[in-house]
């Protein structure tokens, strides 16, 4: 087994959806920030990175979140933090900053930046609401999965949740609901249970060779 394979298996081993965490364990803020930073290397369309994260770690924040996560209150009550992943509908407004920074850091020639920005500014603001929703949710999903794997690499467990009051989440945490679309709620912390192994479909069942 190669070192790469071993590292991958260590990350994936025991990757269960944990619902009960060690309630007194708090992930240090600088470490959680580093996990988010590492996860944000996930791919996105035109590198526009539409994901936004609200970290709910205080007692007041969790109390506010509790009635909004339906049957997921145990994760809320025991986790180190609840990560609310939103997609920003105005994600393309960061295009100038992203591409100018890429040129300044020597990662991209100016002419490539200019061509990319011209395309972005003409294409993305004109997307239909349906297409825009597909783009930002897909990209935010890439980020969420990478966040879960990154957390595991740091020794923490996570549980993604779709059971929450989507129409109330942004307002409850002082975000503009017209701009920020909730994608998923992710609990993170030190597991206080083993979790159950789950059955997975084989490659033969999910793959079509042509």
């Amino acid at each position: 087994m190669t070192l790469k394979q071993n590292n991958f298996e260590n990350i994936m081993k025991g990757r269960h959806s944990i619902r009960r965490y060690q309630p007194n364990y708090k992930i240090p803020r600088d470490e959680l920030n580093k996990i988010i930073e590492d996860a944000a290397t996930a791919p996105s369309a035109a590198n526009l990175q539409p994901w936004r994260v609200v970290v709910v770690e205080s007692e007041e924040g969790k109390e506010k979140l509790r009635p909004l996560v339906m049957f997921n209150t145990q994760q809320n009550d025991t986790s180190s933090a609840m990560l609310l992943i939103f997609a920003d509908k105005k994600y393309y407004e960061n295009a100038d900053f992203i591409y100018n920074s890429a040129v300044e850091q020597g990662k991209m020639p100016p002419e490539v930046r200019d061509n990319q920005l011209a395309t972005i500014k003409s294409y993305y603001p004109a997307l239909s609401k349906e297409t825009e929703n597909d783009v930002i949710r897909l990209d935010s999903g890439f980020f969420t999965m990478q966040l879960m794997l990154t957390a595991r690499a740091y020794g923490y467990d996570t549980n993604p949740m779709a059971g929450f009051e989507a129409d109330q989440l942004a307002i409850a945490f002082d975000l503009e609901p017209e701009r920020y679309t909730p994608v998923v709620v992710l609990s993170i912390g030190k597991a206080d249970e083993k979790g159950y192994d789950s059955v997975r479909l084989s490659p033969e069942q999910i793959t079509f060779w042509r």
Side-chain angles (χ1 to χ4, degrees):
M1 182 181 294
T2 67
L3 181 59
K4 254 184 206 180
Q5 288 172 321
N6 189 48
N7 287 341
F8 179 77
E9 289 196 5
N10 285 339
I11 292 172
M12 297 302 294
K13 183 180 180 183
R15 225 244 51 84
H16 306 296
S17 291
I18 298 299
R19 290 169 173 76
R20 188 174 71 249
Y21 300 87
Q22 297 175 22
N24 296 321
Y25 186 90
K26 283 294 181 184
I27 301 173
R29 184 171 290 192
D30 59 344
E31 187 176 21
L32 186 50
N33 195 61
K34 187 66 171 66
I35 290 172
I36 294 170
E37 180 183 9
D38 289 347
T41 60
S44 61
N47 193 32
L48 292 177
Q49 307 162 53
W51 48 78
R52 305 289 180 263
V53 186
V54 175
V55 180
V56 182
E57 60 172 358
S58 68
E59 289 185 15
E60 296 80 7
K62 285 193 170 190
E63 193 62 32
K64 185 186 294 186
L65 181 60
R66 197 173 200 276
L68 304 181
V69 292
M70 301 178 181
F71 38 80
N72 296 304
T73 54
Q74 182 172 235
Q75 294 96 307
N76 181 68
D77 296 347
T78 63
S79 63
S80 287
M82 300 286 278
L83 309 181
L84 317 184
I85 313 299
F86 289 87
D88 184 357
K89 294 179 182 177
K90 294 186 178 180
Y91 59 107
Y92 48 80
E93 291 185 352
N94 285 320
D96 282 317
F97 173 80
I98 292 169
Y99 282 84
N100 287 334
S101 297
V103 171
E104 291 168 7
Q105 295 173 29
K107 298 178 178 179
M108 178 181 293
E111 58 271 20
V112 173
R113 171 201 58 195
D114 296 343
N115 289 335
Q116 290 282 79
L117 285 176
T119 301
I120 288 168
K121 291 178 180 181
S122 64
Y123 178 74
Y124 285 96
L127 290 177
S128 68
K129 288 185 178 180
E130 293 78 10
T131 301
E132 177 187 67
N133 189 59
D134 288 344
V135 169
I136 60 179
R137 283 182 173 276
L138 179 63
D139 288 347
S140 298
F142 290 150
F143 168 74
T144 301
M145 189 68 251
Q146 186 142 308
L147 181 57
M148 293 170 68
L149 293 173
T150 302
R152 185 65 189 169
Y154 275 76
Y156 300 111
D157 289 281
T158 56
N159 179 213
M161 294 164 248
F164 56 86
E165 302 289 353
D167 60 335
Q168 301 176 43
L169 205 62
I171 296 172
F173 290 92
D174 305 317
L175 297 179
E176 302 170 30
E178 299 80 14
R179 174 170 179 171
Y180 297 99
T181 298
V183 177
V184 66
V185 173
L186 193 71
S187 59
I188 184 171
K190 283 282 189 184
D192 198 29
E193 61 181 5
K194 185 178 179 181
Y196 296 100
D197 287 329
S198 57
V199 174
R200 297 292 164 170
L201 297 176
S202 70
E204 290 75 20
Q205 291 173 289
I206 65 172
T207 307
F208 302 91
W209 295 87
R210 297 289 186 264

